[in-house]
Amino acid sequence: MAQARDFPVLFPLYDITIYDLNAASTGVQSPVTGSQGASGDNTYIEVTANTIPGNTSALPSGLGAEVLFVECISPVVTNAGATVYPDFQWSPQPDGVDLSSPTPANKCFIDGSYGGNMCPPRAQTVGRQRAGIIGVSLRALLNDARNGKRVGAMATKATGWKYISTFQARLYSKRGWGASVSGDTVQTPARLIFWGERYTDRMLAPLAASWNGAFSITSLRRYLEQDQVPMTLSGVQGGTVTVADLPTLSGGYNQRGDVIFRDMRFAVNDVATAASSAFPLTNSQQANGKSGNVSTSYSSDLGFPFAPVNGQPSAAKSAIILQKLGIIPGIANLGYFGLDFGGTLVPDPNGWPVGENVDLFAYGQVQDLRNQSELYYSIPDLENEIIVYGENASIFVSGNGTAIASGDASVAEVGVAVQTSGAVAPGRQG
């Protein structure tokens, strides 16, 4: 018999505050409950008191959950009388599984720093859509389908991070802040708040029959070009809708059949660009990049080397559906950015132009476009999703006639990563 407490609501699933993080940290795991370290240690992270039940991310028996959006408060310190904004990166860790691994189908390495915050607090986000969205509620999608609404490609929408035990984050910073850095006084500690829904089998059972893991998507670019083989990205996600099997659904860490994950990552040029030619933000030569273009210790690689090698079908089909794309404002000497398909720049001929006060793709801190220092732009939606599938591509930046200095250009993307079994017919090699 259903009970009122079964009614699903958006809920704070995990909330941590990071007071100190050691310099050159490479994957500090946050606590499930209580704190890691103590005040004054080089790593002091605590579950923010009185924000989640029991001050722990551990779920009571019989419950499962999915994270649907995230809010990040960036760290700010003073040092030697100056305000400093430390770099901060993080990745999700449902049930102890790190989703920042480099395999194409689960890549989430997210910027939480002050200038390039990819998931700013909703109350501080201006214009456009809500920031930090991880996926659409499984419950909402199933309910729509149950009521006769057409929910196309359901599996590519229900990409929330699903878990049945605990949720954590892995935390990174090259500079560090707090006790680990001599002279630091923390003005604002970093904080991550993960919102989502909690489920019981009793809540899911009436909806389970509405799950359809089949998907078939053709982007406008592929339709217009008519030269992509295959032109349509299709497959079947084979998860099961029960609490115990939540991790087998899209966004879960234990999927079977075709694998679908939210993809959120950013990249920074690790060396200076050329004066005006495209600089792919990837180390992959197959995706038109060059070793050393980006450092993957504290950023990501925005290359998509998905064409079958040497014209041979690959053992696994990798694809990405790019949905959001952004570049931090105020980059000196930036002229264009966009996508590089084997030397062909999109949009034609040089990418999207970006200049002072002309930036449709700005994300992160609103300065230099606005005066307010506590407001953020969310990563903007692309007008049309761009599918990269069976071909090689990368995201690039280019100078305006003068080189962009090393470390200045930061680009973020949000989309859906897909890995399907079977072979891919040869596409454009690039």
Side-chain angles (χ1 to χ4, degrees), residues 71-128:
E71 294 183 295
C72 172
I73 297 171
S74 303
V76 181
V77 305
T78 56
N79 193 299
T83 301
V84 180
Y85 305 98
D87 68 294
F88 173 41
Q89 306 84 35
W90 61 273
S91 60
Q93 197 168 6
D95 289 339
V97 179
D98 185 10
L99 299 188
S100 69
S101 79
T103 58
N106 55 332
K107 183 65 175 179
C108 281
F109 192 72
I110 301 168
D111 192 357
S113 62
Y114 187 84
N117 191 342
M118 293 171 64
C119 301
R122 185 192 299 188
Q124 292 174 245
T125 304
V126 297
R128 297 192 294 248

Side-chain angles (χ1 to χ4, degrees), residues 384-399:
N384 294 287
E385 294 180 344
I386 298 175
I387 295 179
V388 181
Y389 178 43
E391 57 191 334
N392 296 320
S394 59
I395 295 172
F396 77 91
V397 294
S398 61

Side-chain angles (χ1 to χ4, degrees), residues 406-417:
S406 172
D408 275 8
S410 183
V411 177
E413 64 84 10
V414 177
V416 177

Side-chain angles (χ1 to χ4, degrees), residues 8 20 46 112 132-133 206 239 247 306 338 348 378 391 394 398 408:
D20 300 319
E46 72 172 14
I133 296 175
F306 298 154
D348 183 66
S378 58
E391 57 191 334
S394 59
S398 61
D408 275 8

Side-chain angles (χ1 to χ4, degrees), residues 267-271 273 277-284 287-290 292-294 301-303 338 340 343 345 393-398:
V268 180
N269 62 311
D270 203 41
V271 294
T273 72
S277 58
F279 180 93
L281 291 165
T282 178
N283 296 332
S284 169
N288 218 30
K290 183 178 180 181
N293 276 8
V294 296
D301 188 307
L302 295 182
D340 179 343
L345 305 185
S394 59
I395 295 172
F396 77 91
V397 294
S398 61

